[in-house]
Amino acid sequence: MPQDLAAVAAGHLRRPGLVVVTGPPGAGRSTVLRRLADATSGPVHTGGGLAMLTAVPALALSRAVRARLPAHDIPLLAEAVRSRVRGGLLILDDLQYADAATLAALPLLAAHCRVAVGLRTPHRLADHAQAALRTAAAAWLQVPPLDLHAATDLARRTAALDAGTLDAVVARAGGNPLAIVALARQAGTGRGAPGADIDQVAYAIAAALADLPRPARTALAALGLLGRPAPAALLGPGAADLLAAGLAADTPDGLQPTSGYVAETAAGLLDGPARTELHRRLAELTAPAEAAQHLAAAGDLPGAHRRALQAADRATGAERAALLLFACDLPGVTVDPRVRLAAADAALAAGRPHAAARVLDTGGPLGVEADVLRGEALLQAGDPAAARRAAQPVPDAAAVSVVAARDRILLLADLATDPGLATDTADKITARHPHPPAGLAAALAAVRAAHRSPGWEDALAAAAAGPDPLIARWSAWQLVEHLTADARLTEAAAVARDAAAGCATALAYSWQTRFAAAADFADALAGRIPAPAEPADPYASPAAADPRESPDPADAIHRRAADLTDRSLPPDARGYATAATALVEADTGLLAAARARLAAHTDHPATAWVAREAAWLDGQPDRAGQPPAQGRGLLTGLDHITARWAAHDRGAAAPTGIPRGLPGPARRTLTAWATGTGFAAAADTWAGTAVREQVRCLLAAGFHEPDPGRAVAALLAAEQLADTAGLTVLAGRARRGLRRHHVHRDTRGPRSGTQLTGRETDVLRLVAAGEPTRRIAGQLGISAETVDTHIRAAMRKLGARTRTEAAALAFAHPDAQPPREDRR
């Protein structure tokens, strides 16, 4: 049966996904996973949880990829693992011992990697964790007990037993492979079988380990408690016996148990005093951070507290935050308030605002500094009302820096809940702090930006250049979003790219990907080529470019944004990256790809608009939907413009009313729709801002202009702009409009040159034969992304709306087919 399950699992893992193999102890979960690994071509990364180290963050994943991982940031953790696994297979055994970070990362990993996990039943996974796994899993496979024939065959192959003993072993083992093997081996030595009232698997393992000398059992138990390889000197005199018995292997990192499960069981078999003594011994032999864990397990909580603080003094960043939080969370230990403040401050710097707020929630007073720190944590955690309650008790008589921190929290809480009140609060704060510190200055700049007070851009830019990284990144993000809302897309992209580069240097992954995605979205709207930059992934190198490709705005933006969407991202980054990728795909004619990409990602304002825009571009105005009832800024304006186009195509009455707070070009465009005139002037307002919206205004001018000469001139201008920008679908609309005026055009745009390239023709020949993208990629030895790039290039050259139309046009024009020797 395990062999069959391995084949079933392999069938589900022909593409990225998650397969969960479950069963009781010794049922053969590990055998299924091992056979799956053996049958897999390509790299296999194996790891798993450890019973004695369930609280160690991301241990199961670290063991698999053999690297320390950033467990404090779940998207970054998943991306760090994905960048190492890539097209290989990730296998995690004993998931019941995995920590919360590993469990949270698995659904993210399953979207991009092939993942197989073993989960023992029963287990103690939280209901929400199990529900998330079931939702993400492509298959949930239960390992059944061996049937009588298979169990008997396994016992017979394990030991030479007479018929009566063989039947007894099989009956007592209950179809459990591990119990069958252990009991058969024990029975083969003539020592008999256990009583029916003893747990069979535990007895089997205990009986096997009982044959080891005591130092070897202690060494194996130590490996189980450590959860990692260890030098022989640390394990003591039993290390040699473990090697001789085949229970451990010598690796460059030290001795490693051949079966982690057996090592953990050896540790579990120790009685309480023996386990405590072993933890104490290991605490003396390991570094302070690891020693703190062992002292806590030994019950020496004050000693664990001291070692954790000692280790924190030598650590930085997320590791320091984790050690300080560990020291504060030890039960029954009196924690100095200064330690709690340090833990909260470190947790905030590591991007863990919820943990920072929790460590300061003691039920008793910790001082005004703790009040403002907790308020900041609650503010960053998205609870402005609670942040206000935490900071309000701080008196004006407190230290100037504390009062400034309090006022920052109160101001930003007002801005989140009552923007009008925030202006009055800002005036009072400005009077109180004529020279505000960096954090307060950033909050004042955010209020000025929200109300577009003169000089708001300079104020936010100054805050973004400040020394505090968290305040600087927050301020830069405010600047990017406000510039985007005002349709200042080139400026927004430049600020975002600079901020992303700074975050990359500091390995601030979540912020880095957020800025990179926002820049890609601004570039996609503007239709500009982004400047070369380092890849968004701090763990991976950039993909090699196809030497046959020429620089192209749409392709450059698509490659960047699509690369981001294939990673584990925080929500804002996911939304902007998906919107940028899908918009380029829709504009260049890959409408099915855009729909598929957007199917599960319409909860972000950018993806919600792109989904409606893609439906309209696909000739489905009924699915373009109504614009949001409320909103401000560029995205709201684009939503209303798309709604006007959808109503026009349906022949229905256009929505009325122009929302407030729109950038000038969007407001001018909606005014033209309301009056039926002025589209050409509206197009001029989009020049240098958003090419696709300039094209749409020219199209509207061509459709609404009663004078045929002016209509044709507008449509010709729209066609030329669309062809230059690679807007295949909008260029097709322009040509269809021209045909209504009896103007027939060569379907190839001015960017096409005189003919298709050899590779483009090869790709289109396979398209014409009905081959899907991945099969074309396999036949030509190129990536699926490169196939799509060649299809888009050919569609633009041929003026085709779909890949099928491009294939038809390609072979209707003999000059589009290059000589055979030019094809590579």
Side-chain angles (χ1 to χ4, degrees):
M1 184 61 69
Q3 182 66 58
D4 294 337
L5 284 186
V8 172
H12 285 287
L13 292 175
R14 292 192 178 97
R15 59 183 61 85
L18 172 66
V19 169
V20 180
V21 179
T22 69
R29 303 183 312 278
S30 299
T31 300
V32 173
L33 296 178
R34 185 171 60 253
R35 288 176 174 167
L36 174 62
D38 292 341
T40 299
S41 60
V44 178
H45 305 266
T46 58
L50 295 173
M52 298 300 166
L53 295 174
T54 57
V56 177
L59 176 66
L61 294 168
S62 294
R63 295 175 68 202
V65 299
R66 300 181 184 277
R68 294 183 63 182
L69 295 172
H72 65 282
D73 186 331
I74 300 303
L76 177 56
L77 169 62
E79 178 54 24
V81 176
R82 184 209 67 81
S83 67
R84 289 170 167 83
V85 175
R86 295 185 177 274
L89 174 65
L90 174 64
I91 292 182
L92 299 182
D93 206 353
D94 291 328
L95 196 66
Q96 69 276 6
Y97 300 137
D99 65 292
T102 297
L103 295 172
L106 281 177
L108 299 177
L109 285 168
H112 310 291
C113 302
R114 297 181 297 152
V115 184
V117 301
L119 176 62
R120 189 202 65 199
T121 54
H123 55 73
R124 296 185 180 181
L125 295 190
D127 291 342
H128 68 86
Q130 185 176 356
L133 286 175
R134 285 191 176 274
T135 300
W140 195 280
L141 307 178
Q142 175 75 33
V143 181
L146 296 180
D147 59 30
L148 180 61
H149 175 77
T152 302
D153 182 65
L154 176 60
R156 185 181 291 113
R157 287 186 283 109
T158 302
L161 304 175
D162 60 64
T165 304
L166 187 65
D167 291 342
V169 165
V170 171
R172 302 268 181 126
N176 185 288
L178 181 62
I180 292 169
V181 170
L183 292 173
R185 285 177 178 171
Q186 185 180 31
T189 65
R191 294 174 54 186
D197 59 333
I198 298 177
D199 181 87
Q200 296 168 2
V201 175
Y203 181 93
I205 295 174
L209 297 180
D211 289 335
L212 288 173
R214 182 177 180 85
R217 291 200 302 272
T218 302
L220 188 58
L223 286 173
L225 294 178
L226 286 168
R228 61 171 177 82
L234 187 149
L235 299 175
D241 290 324
L242 290 184
L243 290 171
L247 292 173
D250 201 357
T251 71
D253 297 323
L255 265 65
Q256 181 167 349
T258 53
S259 168
Y261 181 71
V262 171
E264 296 155 31
T265 304
L269 291 173
L270 295 173
D271 58 27
R275 188 181 302 111
T276 297
E277 179 58 32
L278 185 53
H279 273 299
R280 289 184 182 278
R281 177 187 163 195
L282 291 174
E284 296 172 358
L285 300 172
T286 53
E290 194 172 3
Q293 298 278 351
H294 288 295
L295 287 173
D300 184 1
L301 301 183
H305 181 80
R306 290 191 298 271
R307 289 293 182 92
L309 295 183
Q310 180 184 355
D313 287 341
R314 305 175 184 176
T316 59
E319 183 181 1
R320 170 178 164 80
L323 287 164
L324 289 172
L325 290 169
F326 172 82
C328 293
D329 290 341
L330 291 169
V333 177
T334 301
V335 181
D336 190 315
R338 291 172 298 179
V339 174
R340 290 192 178 276
L341 286 173
D345 188 57
L348 273 176
R352 301 177 62 182
H354 293 90
R358 174 181 53 77
V359 79
L360 294 173
D361 188 9
T362 63
L366 291 175
V368 291
E369 290 185 4
D371 290 339
V372 295
L373 197 55
R374 185 166 181 268
E376 181 70 26
L378 291 167
L379 193 66
Q380 292 191 29
D383 193 347
R388 182 188 288 113
R389 290 193 299 271
Q392 268 179 337
V394 175
D396 292 340
V400 174
S401 61
V402 174
V403 173
R406 177 204 66 184
D407 290 347
R408 165 185 161 82
I409 295 163
L410 296 179
L411 178 58
L412 291 177
D414 284 347
L415 184 61
T417 56
D418 189 345
L421 178 61
T423 302
D424 295 335
T425 305
D427 291 339
K428 296 175 183 177
I429 288 175
T430 302
R432 185 182 299 126
H433 302 275
H435 302 288
L440 186 55
L444 290 168
V447 175
R448 293 177 64 183
H451 296 283
R452 296 301 191 270
S453 301
W456 67 267
E457 310 98 316
D458 294 336
L460 273 181
D468 186 309
L470 287 179
I471 291 172
R473 291 164 194 159
W474 179 85
S475 302
W477 183 250
Q478 296 293 311
L479 182 56
V480 168
E481 291 221 302
H482 285 304
L483 289 172
T484 302
D486 285 357
R488 296 164 63 176
L489 299 173
T490 301
E491 295 172 78
V495 172
R497 296 246 180 255
D498 286 345
C503 293
T505 301
L507 295 181
Y509 174 83
S510 291
W511 280 108
Q512 178 194 357
T513 54
R514 187 188 298 184
F515 282 119
D520 286 334
F521 182 64
D523 287 334
L525 281 177
R528 63 186 293 273
I529 303 177
E534 292 300 314
D537 182 3
Y539 296 93
S541 57
D546 189 324
R548 291 180 292 269
E549 307 229 8
S550 58
D552 180 274
D555 289 343
I557 296 165
H558 184 269
R559 281 196 298 271
R560 278 183 184 269
D563 179 63
L564 275 176
T565 61
D566 197 33
R567 302 163 189 269
S568 299
L569 301 173
D572 271 330
R574 170 70 58 191
Y576 280 123
T578 301
T581 310
L583 182 61
V584 171
E585 288 171 338
D587 277 339
T588 55
L590 298 177
L591 291 158
R595 286 196 304 271
R597 191 177 297 277
L598 291 163
H601 299 287
T602 56
D603 51 347
H604 190 276
T607 55
W609 168 66
V610 174
R612 287 187 280 271
E613 179 73 1
W616 171 71
L617 289 170
D618 201 18
Q620 303 179 65
D622 290 337
R623 299 182 60 183
Q626 292 295 320
Q630 297 179 343
R632 301 171 64 89
L634 176 61
L635 280 175
T636 297
L638 294 175
D639 261 316
H640 280 263
I641 292 170
T642 298
R644 301 305 194 271
W645 272 109
H648 172 270
D649 288 359
R650 295 197 311 267
T656 58
I658 300 175
R660 299 177 59 187
L662 301 184
R667 186 173 60 253
R668 189 73 175 267
T669 302
L670 291 173
T671 300
W673 277 102
T675 61
T677 186
F679 286 106
D684 291 339
T685 65
W686 289 108
T689 298
V691 175
R692 70 181 316 280
E693 296 308 315
Q694 185 180 5
V695 170
R696 289 213 290 178
C697 282
L698 290 171
L699 287 173
F703 295 150
H704 287 81
E705 176 59 57
D707 180 82
R710 292 177 181 173
V712 168
L715 291 170
L716 288 172
E719 180 196 31
Q720 181 180 12
L721 275 175
D723 274 332
T724 302
L727 302 170
T728 303
V729 180
L730 294 179
R733 274 193 168 243
R735 282 189 271 273
R736 288 195 296 276
L738 287 168
R739 284 197 291 271
R740 284 196 285 270
H741 289 279
H742 307 291
V743 178
H744 296 280
R745 307 278 292 158
D746 186 337
T747 56
R748 288 174 294 164
R751 303 166 71 227
S752 64
T754 59
Q755 60 183 13
L756 298 177
T757 67
R759 181 48 56 89
E760 287 164 359
T761 302
D762 289 341
V763 168
L764 289 184
R765 182 177 289 106
L766 292 171
V767 169
E771 297 287 4
T773 296
R774 293 199 177 277
R775 192 172 298 170
I776 295 172
Q779 291 187 38
L780 297 182
I782 58 179
S783 71
E785 291 75 15
T786 301
V787 171
D788 281 340
T789 296
H790 288 310
I791 291 174
R792 285 197 303 274
M795 288 169 63
R796 286 193 294 275
K797 291 178 180 181
L798 297 169
R801 182 176 176 181
T802 66
R803 56 192 277 160
T804 304
E805 182 182 358
L809 289 170
F811 300 112
H813 293 275
D815 63 339
Q817 303 183 45
R820 192 69 189 174
E821 59 269 22
D822 290 342
R823 297 173 193 170
R824 296 173 177 79

